[in-house]
């Protein structure tokens, strides 16, 4: 907004798109409207003091607003009610009690990313589809690419690398098509990345 107000040219998406994409629940709703698969989830409002989880553990707890994996750590993946309450409390303490929290079913399949450069449908390039390689991560740690992997060089998560995704041609084609649809529907511009995770049946679900 500041750059546009000052008339300074910049690359990347505009303020409206960024505002949408910082809201995980909103993007989930748009994806579901487009019949794009997402994990099951529970939206916890700031005033909620009790709730009933409508699906089984394990789950992952995230701040609903934000990006760059802020608020998503190894403690975000929980396996019981006590851990869930603690994870929600920690997010509220760090990010404010007036903001919602998103609880999603934790998918154990491959962690997939699709990058797009350009502006569909006229001129664009889909970068090679990649997945995270968790083979060097110590046993017992959740297989997620969260805050520690991106911002803490001393963390064991720093060892995570990316490699070419191992997907069937059919699944990769459908995945790319969904990403291009989302790019246009969300009003993205110049470049973006969509993150997915495979469920137990190998179906990609948008994160």
């Amino acid at each position: 907004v500041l750059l546009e107000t000052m008339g300074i040219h910049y690359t990347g998406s505009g303020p409206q798109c960024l505002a949408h994409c910082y809201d995980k629940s909103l993007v989930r709703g748009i994806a579901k409207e487009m019949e794009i698969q997402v994990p099951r989830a529970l939206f916890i409002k700031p005033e909620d003091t009790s709730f009933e989880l409508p699906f089984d553990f394990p789950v992952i707890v995230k701040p609903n607003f934000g990006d760059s994996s802020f608020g998503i750590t190894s403690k975000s993946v929980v396996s019981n009610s006590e851990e869930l309450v603690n994870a929600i409390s920690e997010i509220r303490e760090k990010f404010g009690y007036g903001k919602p929290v998103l609880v999603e079913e934790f998918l154990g399949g491959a962690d997939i990313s699709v990058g797009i450069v350009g502006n569909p449908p006229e001129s664009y390039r889909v970068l090679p589809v990649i997945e995270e390689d968790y083979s060097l991560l110590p046993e017992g740690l959740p297989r997620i690419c969260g805050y520690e992997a991106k911002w803490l060089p001393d963390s064991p998560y720093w060892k995570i690398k990316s490699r070419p995704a191992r997907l069937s041609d059919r699944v990769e084609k459908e995945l790319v098509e969904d990403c291009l649809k989302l790019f246009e529907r969300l009003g993205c511009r110049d470049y973006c990345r969509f993150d997915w995770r495979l469920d137990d049946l190998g179906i990609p679900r948008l994160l």
Side-chain angles (χ1 to χ4, degrees):
V1 175
L2 179 61
L3 293 175
E4 291 195 355
T5 301
M6 298 178 67
I8 297 174
H9 296 292
Y10 64 93
T11 61
S13 297
Q16 186 63 69
C17 172
L18 295 178
H20 286 159
C21 291
Y22 286 154
D23 186 335
K24 297 180 179 69
S25 181
L26 177 62
V27 173
R28 285 175 48 84
I30 291 171
K32 290 173 71 175
E33 178 187 275
M34 299 172 68
E35 299 184 343
I36 292 173
Q37 300 276 7
V38 296
R40 289 177 294 177
L42 174 66
F43 184 80
I44 300 178
K45 300 185 293 293
E47 63 270 21
D48 290 344
T49 56
S50 62
F51 51 85
E52 184 174 343
L53 193 65
F55 42 86
D56 295 331
F57 290 101
V59 300
I60 183 166
V61 185
K62 309 173 178 179
N64 183 64
F65 295 113
D67 66 347
S68 300
S69 295
F70 285 102
I72 303 175
T73 71
S74 58
K75 291 188 288 185
S76 298
V77 179
V78 300
S79 301
N80 57 58
S81 298
E82 181 180 357
E83 291 177 352
L84 176 58
V85 170
N86 290 340
I88 293 170
S89 297
E90 184 169 323
I91 286 177
R92 285 175 164 171
E93 289 172 5
K94 285 185 177 180
F95 295 92
Y97 287 84
K99 296 181 180 179
V101 176
L102 190 65
V103 180
E104 289 183 337
E105 61 176 330
F106 180 67
L107 305 176
D111 210 336
I112 305 292
S113 289
V114 182
I116 301 171
V117 178
N119 292 290
E122 290 83 13
S123 177
Y124 67 93
R125 178 185 177 191
V126 178
L127 301 180
V129 180
I130 59 172
E131 69 176 82
E132 302 304 331
D133 180 3
Y134 294 114
S135 61
L136 296 180
L137 198 63
E139 288 294 326
L141 290 178
R143 269 46 183 168
I144 61 171
C145 188
Y147 182 83
E148 294 108 326
K150 299 175 182 178
W151 301 101
L152 301 180
D154 294 333
S155 168
Y157 281 93
W158 194 258
K159 298 177 181 179
I160 295 173
K161 305 295 182 184
S162 298
R163 65 187 179 197
R166 296 172 290 186
L167 301 172
S168 69
D169 291 342
R170 179 187 61 81
V171 170
E172 182 167 329
K173 180 176 181 291
E174 292 175 355
L175 189 65
V176 169
E177 288 176 352
D178 284 343
C179 289
L180 292 171
K181 292 175 186 176
L182 285 163
F183 189 108
E184 294 190 67
R185 177 64 179 83
L186 293 167
C188 299
R189 190 173 64 202
D190 299 339
Y191 53 84
C192 77
R193 188 193 76 233
F194 292 104
D195 296 329
W196 305 73
R197 192 132 195 179
L198 304 188
D199 64 14
D200 292 340
L201 299 177
I203 298 171
R205 295 183 181 269
L206 180 69
L207 300 183

